[in-house]
């Protein structure tokens, strides 16, 4: 479709959309749009939309992959790309038609509002995001240019850091206790529990807590731990770990709110577009595009589809509850719109789905659980009366950071020879052994001594170890 | 709330290929990964005997991005097609390398194959070898044609090579430079002929001669002599290993010479020159007289591939069960082959295990003292690349059996 529009059209429609945005009560950061072509879009995708990003071969790989998929028509390109910053930056593809641009602009305002208001994003300094990434890029380039360091050495550390980047604290809103607080807590926990009859009871024995262990409490932030405690790292290596760590912290909220965020943006672009009184041809194309985006994908989860479904259902339950729902939950105390604004502030994907994905919705969307059976994938459960909660649990276990195993540092001086003891918090899902082995090598590379990882395989507790030469499993 | 629109600028777009550096680095890593896996790729039957434009899919293992990920022991949730029932098969269990993977949490996403042509692959293989010594010693180019050709000009030479035009030009240049044209007599007291116009003669320095250099055409013909034991004890597997080795040798020699010929000599108790088809597929039976093959090879070289015109590479594959009475004769002829060939190699194909030092030809060849002889032992597929490398490096110190 030829792009028969110019920037004035976009400005006109943007002004109209902004009126609606204000009317509906969305509170956004200032917005900036930039038009780009498909090559630029591919580049932006590789670098998560950041105008400036440190170099690493994995981004080249990601670019090549996207380009191959795009060139062979396997996957299209996103209509837009939004980054969470203040002002909010968004890229529009210049090849797209006017209807698509209008839809995209409306969609972007949905994301913008979500970034600005959802609590998951509140600890990020949105105004500094672009600057921070640029700063990181400059630092990494500086290390590469440093003749005493060079590209190979930087790459080695970045490879290892990328492998561990997702092993970090999942919910930054939960404050981490300082070592002093952890110490105090350990001492308190070791003391006798309050006993109203202590005068007549025998004094319980007091077990001295072990306060010299590092870390005092199991630590899931692997990268930060290695950065702070690994004795063999040079300052520039620590800095690289810090950079990767900081960038992961930036992306974490987006990983954790993907479904809500996309659903929210779809909900608002639909609401805004329908209120704009579009000319018939634009309206027609909008409907087609919208339905392409929010269609279900069998065998997978389309966050646009799932998110929009749930938001719609929340609105319906508040505005137009069934008699049965009134009986069960009482009469709604506010309008659907009030409710979703509040939910948009306080939830993340896991809590959002846990609270609002009902059996009725799951049934309607035909949510299933699939298990491998030999070479085939077989439906093991469907969302019927008996199993829907099970299916939902499975769904939630893979949402956001749920698809990354929780691995905690237990002891930095295990068996007295500075072996690093890690524990995989087993929840019924086993680690992929081959990947675990290779990742342990990265941990070893940063720690410099033997690494032990406790996990479960085939219902048996095992310890995977990498001591620099051999991979031991027992 | 304000909004800013930044319009598309094509000049910026042209400059904005920001991923180029990272792509380059990624490609380098792909190349490295291929090179690291060459031993495996070579052992794959599929590349043997293909033409050089054949595109091969090379599985890449070196450039995955490893993380801690879940295996597939547990179920996953997804949307069905509307009326799913328990027990219904909805797809294939995604193994590595298939499809695009799901939602980015499957490790399968990271695995992919890359296409390279056999040509590229062969280049990469031999790039890896890095054999400067070999280039000097084992590769020989013979002068086939010698003539002279023009190459620039110089100030001295014989008169037939005088370039009149350039000589005149250089004189004019000199004349202008000295200013003789405008001020004829001032600086040139010796000039001044009676006509009134100053004579400005040619001097030795004005003369320009065409320079001729020798032009040498190097004959770069090579012949690869494939000698193979086709006696009853050489089974299909052994022949396949031999074939892999000959393939490598042929490809290697091809990268170094313009014109390469292949000669196949099959032998049991007596040797025949055969076609490639027969060489690899026809079974023979009977005893083994290795010397017969060597004699035949020497005969062929003598008749068709004289070493003064051809670079000769010979390689012999056998399982080493030679008639012991033939050993002295074989050793003598092998020494002779070493004299005529650039490289002569012997590969003993013996599956690991049932190996007896005593009746192996390889122990007989220990006595063969020649710079360009190399014996390797091939036990299974994995030995081929290692064996081939040691064959080319001829490093006697490390040429102990490769298993």
């Amino acid at each position: 479709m030829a792009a028969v529009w110019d920037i004035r059209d976009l400005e006109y429609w943007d002004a109209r959309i902004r009126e609606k945005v204000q009317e509906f009560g969305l509170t956004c950061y200032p917005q900036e749009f930039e038009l780009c072509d498909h090559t630029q879009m591919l580049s932006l995708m590789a670098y998560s939309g950041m105008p400036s990003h440190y170099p690493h071969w994995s981004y080249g790989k990601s670019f090549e992959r996207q380009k191959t998929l795009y060139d062979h028509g396997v996957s299209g390109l996103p209509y837009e790309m939004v980054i969470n910053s203040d002002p909010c930056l968004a890229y529009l593809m210049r090849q797209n038609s006017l209807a698509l641009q209008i839809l995209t602009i409306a969609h972007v305002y949905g994301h913008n509002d979500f970034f600005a208001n959802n609590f998951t994003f509140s600890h990020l300094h949105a105004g500094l995001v672009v600057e921070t990434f640029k700063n990181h890029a400059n630092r990494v380039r500086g290390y590469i240019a440093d003749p005493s360091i060079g590209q190979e050495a930087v790459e080695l550390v970045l490879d290892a850091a990328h492998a561990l980047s997702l092993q970090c604290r999942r919910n930054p809103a939960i404050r981490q206790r300082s070592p002093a607080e952890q110490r105090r807590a350990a001492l308190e926990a070791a003391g006798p529990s309050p006993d109203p009859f202590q005068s007549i009871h025998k004094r319980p024995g007091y077990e001295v807590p072990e306060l010299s262990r590092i870390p005092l409490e199991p630590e899931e932030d692997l990268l930060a731990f290695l950065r702070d405690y690994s004795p063999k790292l040079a300052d520039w290596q620590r800095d690289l770990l810090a950079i990767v760590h900081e960038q992961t912290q930036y992306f974490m909220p987006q990983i954790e709110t993907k479904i809500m965020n996309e659903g929210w943006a779809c909900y608002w672009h639909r609401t805004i577009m329908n209120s704009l009184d579009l000319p018939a041809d634009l309206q027609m194309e909008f409907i087609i595009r919208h339905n392409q985006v929010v269609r279900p994908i069998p065998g997978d989860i389309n966050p646009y589809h799932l998110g929009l479904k749930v938001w719609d259902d929340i609105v319906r339950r508040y505005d137009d509850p069934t008699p049965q729902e009134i009986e069960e939950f009482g009469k709604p105390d506010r309008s659907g719109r009030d409710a979703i604004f509040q939910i948009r502030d306080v939830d993340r994907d896991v809590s959002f789905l846990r609270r609002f994905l009902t059996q009725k919705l799951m049934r309607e969307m035909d949510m299933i659980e699939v298990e491998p059976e030999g070479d085939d994938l077989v439906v093991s459960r469907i969302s019927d009366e008996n199993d829907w909660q099970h299916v939902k649990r499975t769904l939630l276990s893979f949402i956001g950071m749920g698809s990354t195993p929780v691995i905690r540092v237990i002891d930095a001086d295990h068996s007295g020879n500075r072996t690093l003891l890690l524990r995989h918090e087993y929840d019924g899902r086993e680690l992929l052994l081959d990947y675990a082995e290779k990742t342990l090598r990265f941990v070893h590379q940063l720690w410099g001594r033997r690494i032990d990882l406790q996990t479960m395989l085939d219902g048996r507790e095992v310890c995977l170890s990498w001591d620099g030469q051999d991979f031991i499993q027992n | 709330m304000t909004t800013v629109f930044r319009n598309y600028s094509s000049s910026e777009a042209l400059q904005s290929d920001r991923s180029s550096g990272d792509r380059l680095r990624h490609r380098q890593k792909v190349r490295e990964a291929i090179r690291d896996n060459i031993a495996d790729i070579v052992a794959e039957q599929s590349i043997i005997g293909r033409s050089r434009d054949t595109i091969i899919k090379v599985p890449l293992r070196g450039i995955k991005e490893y993380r801690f990920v879940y295996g597939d022991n547990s179920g996953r949730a997804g949307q069905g097609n509307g009326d799913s029932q328990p027990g219904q098969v909805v797809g294939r269990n995604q193994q590595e390398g298939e499809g695009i993977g799901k939602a980015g949490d499957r490790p399968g996403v990271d695995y992919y194959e890359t296409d390279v042509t056999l040509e590229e692959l062969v280049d990469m293989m031999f790039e890896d070898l890095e054999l400067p010594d070999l280039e000097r010693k084992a590769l020989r180019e013979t002068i086939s044609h010698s003539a002279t050709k023009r190459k620039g000009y110089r100030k001295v030479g014989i008169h037939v090579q005088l370039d009149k035009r350039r000589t005149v030009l250089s004189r004019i240049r000199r004349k202008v430079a000295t200013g003789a044209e405008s001020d004829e007599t001032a600086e040139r007291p010796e000039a001044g002929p009676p006509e009134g116009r100053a004579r400005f003669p040619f001097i030795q320095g004005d003369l320009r001669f065409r320079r001729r250099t020798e032009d040498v055409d190097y004959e770069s013909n090579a012949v690869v002599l494939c000698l193979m034991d086709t006696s009853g004890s050489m089974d299909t597997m052994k022949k396949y290993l031999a074939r892999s080795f000959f393939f490598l040798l042929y490809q290697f020699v091809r990268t170094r010479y313009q014109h390469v010929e292949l000669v196949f000599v099959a032998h049991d108790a007596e040797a025949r020159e055969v076609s490639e088809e027969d060489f690899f597929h026809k079974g023979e039976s009977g005893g083994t007289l290795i010397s017969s093959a060597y004699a035949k090879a020497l005969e062929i070289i003598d008749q068709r591939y004289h070493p003064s015109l051809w670079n000769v590479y010979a390689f012999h594959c056998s399982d080493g069960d030679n008639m012991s009475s033939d050993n002295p004769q074989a050793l003598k002829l092998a020494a002779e082959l070493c004299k005529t060939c650039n490289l002569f190699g012997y590969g003993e194909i013996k599956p690991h295990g049932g190996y007896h030092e005593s009746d192996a030809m390889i122990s007989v060849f220990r006595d063969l003292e020649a710079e360009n002889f190399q014996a390797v032992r091939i036990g299974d597929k994995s030995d081929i690349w290692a064996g081939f490398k040691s064959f080319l490096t001829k490093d006697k110190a490390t040429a102990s059996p490769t298993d």
Side-chain angles (χ1 to χ4, degrees):
Chain A
M1 215 164 298
V4 282
W5 49 266
D6 66 14
I7 199 112
R8 281 187 301 278
D9 294 316
L10 296 188
E11 277 161 358
Y12 165 75
W13 285 106
D14 174 65
R16 292 202 46 194
I17 289 167
R18 247 184 312 148
E19 267 169 40
K20 293 289 169 195
V21 164
Q22 257 144 16
E23 187 187 317
F24 291 127
L26 297 176
T27 46
C28 301
Y29 292 127
Q31 180 67 50
E32 290 185 11
F33 288 106
E34 195 167 323
L35 290 159
C36 67
D37 61 22
H38 71 277
T39 328
Q40 283 172 314
M41 185 55 99
L42 283 167
S43 272
L44 284 166
M45 283 168 75
Y47 296 99
S48 326
M50 285 301 155
S52 185
H53 199 290
Y54 66 79
H56 185 256
W57 60 267
S58 58
Y59 305 116
K61 173 179 159 186
S62 150
F63 180 92
E64 301 264 19
R65 211 180 91 83
Q66 291 293 350
K67 187 163 172 3
T68 312
L69 293 181
Y70 174 69
D71 288 349
H72 292 283
V74 179
S75 78
L77 287 177
Y79 301 144
E80 43 76 27
M81 179 112 209
V82 199
I83 69 170
N84 164 33
S85 63
D86 177 12
C88 179
L89 267 179
Y91 301 92
L92 302 172
M93 286 265 284
R94 66 192 270 268
Q95 285 94 338
N96 288 342
S97 66
L98 183 59
L100 206 46
Q101 301 291 14
I102 300 169
L103 182 152
T104 308
I105 291 170
H107 189 83
V108 165
Y109 280 113
H111 281 308
N112 186 341
D113 171 75
F114 194 87
F115 289 145
N117 292 289
N118 184 272
F119 97 102
T120 326
F121 293 85
S122 59
H123 69 284
L124 299 174
H125 304 288
L128 298 176
V129 166
V130 174
E131 278 303 303
T132 308
F133 273 74
K134 188 166 183 168
N135 183 338
H136 290 166
N138 289 340
R139 264 144 75 193
V140 173
R141 291 210 173 91
Y143 295 136
I144 290 174
D146 187 331
S148 68
I149 300 171
Q151 181 170 25
E152 301 262 316
V154 169
E155 210 168 73
L156 269 179
V157 179
L158 285 181
D159 285 352
H162 284 184
L164 305 177
S165 63
L166 288 178
Q167 303 300 330
C168 58
R169 296 179 56 237
R170 277 137 205 266
N171 195 341
I174 300 172
R175 201 173 62 85
Q176 191 180 22
R177 290 198 279 196
S178 70
E181 284 170 315
Q182 290 184 15
R183 202 182 147 85
R184 209 174 308 131
L187 283 170
E188 268 167 31
S193 51
D195 181 2
F197 304 107
Q198 54 180 333
S199 54
I200 55 168
H201 281 168
K202 189 169 172 270
R203 253 181 105 82
Y206 179 75
E207 229 175 274
V208 186
E210 203 193 325
L211 293 175
S212 57
R213 199 184 58 210
I214 295 174
L216 266 180
E217 291 174 1
E219 172 62 64
E220 63 180 332
D221 204 336
L222 220 52
L223 216 47
F225 182 84
L226 290 167
R227 177 194 65 197
D228 296 340
Y229 292 101
S230 173
K232 74 176 281 263
L233 296 179
D235 281 350
W236 64 269
Q237 290 171 314
R238 282 178 215 286
D239 190 36
L240 287 177
L241 298 193
I243 286 172
V244 174
H245 186 257
E246 208 174 318
Q247 298 210 347
T248 317
Q249 293 301 313
Y250 167 79
F251 291 113
M252 186 75 52
Q254 287 173 41
I255 299 171
E256 284 285 84
T257 58
K258 176 88 177 156
I259 294 169
M260 277 179 88
N261 198 347
E262 293 299 355
W264 183 254
C266 288
Y267 180 85
W268 285 108
H269 81 228
R270 191 189 56 195
T271 312
I272 291 169
M273 295 295 271
N274 284 334
S275 69
L276 276 179
D277 284 328
L278 291 169
D281 55 336
L282 293 182
Q283 178 72 18
M284 200 60 212
E285 196 191 336
F286 153 65
I287 291 169
I288 294 168
R289 298 290 189 182
H290 172 75
N291 284 311
Q292 278 170 352
V293 170
V294 299
R295 73 185 193 283
I297 301 170
D300 206 342
I301 298 286
N302 178 1
Y304 297 81
H305 175 72
L306 177 58
L308 183 61
K309 273 275 187 199
V310 177
W311 284 117
D312 277 344
D313 190 58
I314 297 169
V315 174
R316 183 200 58 76
R317 275 200 286 166
Y318 276 91
D319 287 349
D320 183 23
T322 58
Q324 193 191 351
E325 279 166 352
I326 293 177
E327 195 179 311
E328 200 175 333
F329 306 107
K331 249 188 148 17
D333 51 359
R334 61 205 129 141
S335 71
R337 194 138 298 168
D338 285 347
I340 57 171
F341 272 103
Q342 194 190 39
I343 293 162
R344 163 268 254 160
D345 284 354
V346 300
D347 271 304
R348 50 174 52 213
D349 277 352
V350 176
S351 60
F352 177 70
L353 294 178
R354 186 179 292 126
R355 289 169 63 189
F356 303 110
L357 185 62
T358 59
Q359 196 221 334
K360 191 161 151 284
L361 262 182
M362 289 181 64
R363 186 73 231 151
E364 194 184 316
M365 286 190 274
D366 192 24
M367 284 287 177
I368 51 174
E369 188 196 73
V370 174
E371 269 176 17
E373 214 169 90
D375 279 346
D376 294 326
L377 285 176
V378 177
V379 179
S380 53
R381 288 187 175 86
I382 60 170
S383 297
D384 58 12
E385 208 56 58
N386 300 325
D387 284 337
W388 72 275
Q389 282 173 313
H390 195 108
V391 177
K392 187 165 163 179
R393 257 204 307 282
T394 309
L395 175 68
L396 290 180
S397 72
F398 278 100
I399 293 294
M401 289 299 292
S403 57
T404 307
V406 180
I407 296 194
R408 293 206 167 98
V409 182
I410 303 299
D411 193 350
D413 191 22
H414 189 53
S415 57
N417 58 1
R418 221 164 64 67
T419 294
L420 185 68
L421 178 64
L422 308 175
R423 187 177 64 214
H424 166 221
E425 306 294 348
Y426 180 73
D427 60 356
R429 293 178 288 176
E430 288 173 359
L431 294 180
L432 191 62
L433 203 55
D434 172 34
Y435 271 61
E437 178 194 333
K438 298 286 174 12
T439 315
L440 279 182
R441 291 178 193 218
F442 286 126
V443 187
H444 178 269
Q445 181 199 325
L446 296 175
W447 182 248
R449 296 286 289 200
R450 177 187 167 112
I451 312 293
D452 282 358
L453 171 65
Q454 295 174 339
T455 182
M456 300 274 280
L457 278 179
D458 300 326
R460 206 168 59 83
E461 251 186 64
V462 292
C463 179
L464 312 174
S465 309
W466 174 256
D467 61 3
Q469 269 108 44
D470 299 305
F471 183 65
I472 309 149
Q473 182 185 339
N474 53 24
Chain B
M1 193 173 74
T2 54
T3 301
V4 178
F5 274 94
R6 274 193 289 277
N7 207 346
Y8 174 76
S9 106
S10 58
S11 62
E12 219 166 85
L14 285 175
Q15 289 165 6
S16 78
D17 189 12
R18 55 193 290 214
S19 61
S20 60
D22 288 341
R23 292 206 311 270
L24 183 71
R25 187 72 194 107
H26 174 237
R27 288 211 198 104
Q28 281 170 355
K29 287 191 88 82
V30 170
R31 236 179 129 81
E32 276 166 28
I34 294 177
R35 215 180 297 166
D36 291 345
N37 292 328
I38 270 182
D40 292 347
I41 298 165
V42 167
E44 283 307 315
Q45 192 144 13
S46 58
I47 74 161
I48 310 294
R50 298 278 198 86
S51 87
R52 283 170 76 85
D53 323 322
T54 312
I55 288 172
I56 313 158
K57 287 209 180 302
V58 182
L60 288 183
R61 264 158 293 173
I63 49 163
K64 275 189 202 173
E65 290 163 82
Y66 290 100
R67 295 174 177 280
F68 288 117
V69 291
Y70 287 123
D72 53 5
N73 75 317
S74 67
R76 271 154 210 269
Q79 259 183 286
N81 49 14
D83 53 351
S84 304
Q85 293 302 322
Q88 200 177 335
V89 176
V90 286
R92 308 271 301 160
N93 190 7
Q94 289 216 345
Q95 295 297 325
E96 281 195 320
E98 270 179 55
I100 312 153
K102 293 171 85 177
D105 61 333
R106 301 291 301 232
V109 180
D110 251 2
Y111 179 90
Y112 63 102
E113 290 179 325
T114 187
D115 291 347
V116 288
T117 62
L118 190 53
E119 178 112 38
E120 280 176 285
L121 191 66
V122 168
D123 287 349
M124 264 186 250
M125 286 196 287
F126 299 128
E127 188 178 297
D128 188 37
L129 282 179
E130 286 166 16
L131 301 164
D133 279 358
L134 171 84
E135 294 277 2
R136 272 206 304 281
K137 283 193 246 160
L139 300 178
R140 178 165 66 207
E141 288 179 326
T142 48
I143 297 169
S144 66
H145 165 75
S146 170
T148 61
K149 65 175 178 189
R150 268 161 69 163
K151 190 182 181 188
Y153 299 89
R154 55 182 182 176
K155 290 189 173 181
V156 288
I158 53 170
H159 259 279
V160 286
Q161 300 290 8
L162 183 71
D163 188 311
K164 290 176 189 155
R165 190 164 171 272
R166 285 185 182 258
T167 303
V168 170
L169 277 173
S170 68
R171 176 180 162 272
I172 292 171
R173 220 173 270 137
R174 186 168 57 86
K175 196 170 167 186
V176 171
T178 53
E181 188 79 340
S182 52
D183 187 7
E184 285 145 310
T185 50
E187 288 193 40
R188 301 187 60 82
E190 82 277 4
E195 288 89 352
R197 263 193 74 173
R199 242 192 98 234
F200 194 79
F202 287 95
I203 62 168
Q204 185 66 39
D206 292 336
L207 303 184
R208 293 289 180 273
F209 298 91
R210 288 184 290 268
R211 177 161 173 255
R212 299 200 74 89
T213 55
E214 217 175 336
D215 182 25
V216 183
D217 266 1
Y218 290 101
E219 183 73 48
S220 51
N221 292 339
V223 59
V224 177
L225 288 168
C226 306
L227 318 176
M228 185 164 66
D229 184 352
T230 51
S231 62
S233 53
M234 286 290 283
D235 57 25
T236 321
M237 191 57 209
K238 288 178 181 172
K239 277 187 188 169
Y240 163 65
L241 291 173
R243 187 187 162 100
S244 305
F245 210 99
F246 291 134
F247 170 79
L248 282 177
L249 184 62
Y250 172 64
Q251 292 297 353
F252 174 71
V253 171
R254 270 203 62 158
T255 60
R256 262 66 183 174
Y257 297 100
Q258 289 159 5
H259 179 66
V260 181
E261 283 190 16
L262 276 169
V263 172
F264 299 97
V265 175
H267 76 91
D268 39 40
E270 77 183 273
R272 291 159 308 277
E273 189 181 346
V274 294
S275 70
E276 183 178 355
E277 181 71 11
D278 293 350
F279 186 68
F280 288 111
H281 296 107
K282 228 175 197 171
E284 307 281 339
S285 56
T288 311
L289 285 175
I290 288 177
S291 63
S292 68
Y294 295 171
K296 183 78 184 172
L298 284 168
E299 183 193 323
I300 291 171
I301 292 170
D302 191 43
Q303 284 171 2
R304 285 149 50 194
Y305 303 105
H306 196 272
S308 63
L309 292 174
W310 290 81
N311 294 285
V312 184
Y313 295 83
F315 196 79
H316 178 217
C317 281
S318 165
D319 55 5
D321 291 333
N322 197 26
M323 304 248 282
S324 47
S325 59
D326 180 51
N327 286 351
Q329 173 72 357
L331 194 61
K332 185 173 148 274
L333 289 172
E336 213 168 303
L337 263 176
C338 287
K339 283 193 202 111
T340 43
C341 295
N342 295 36
L343 264 178
F344 172 54
Y346 169 72
E348 185 149 299
I349 300 173
K350 272 244 158 81
H352 294 304
Y355 175 71
H356 302 293
E357 181 81 16
S358 54
D359 61 325
M361 203 55 203
I362 203 161
S363 54
V364 176
F365 281 128
R366 292 247 164 80
D367 303 332
L368 184 58
E369 290 294 331
E371 269 281 282
N372 57 351
F373 174 76
Q374 175 73 24
V376 295
R377 182 179 314 144
I378 302 166
D380 58 33
K381 287 207 289 192
S382 60
D383 291 341
I384 291 175
W385 182 241
F388 181 69
K389 268 166 112 164
S390 78
F391 170 56
L392 287 183
T393 43
K394 298 176 298 154
D395 189 349
K396 293 281 182 192
T398 58
S400 52
T402 53
D403 54 349

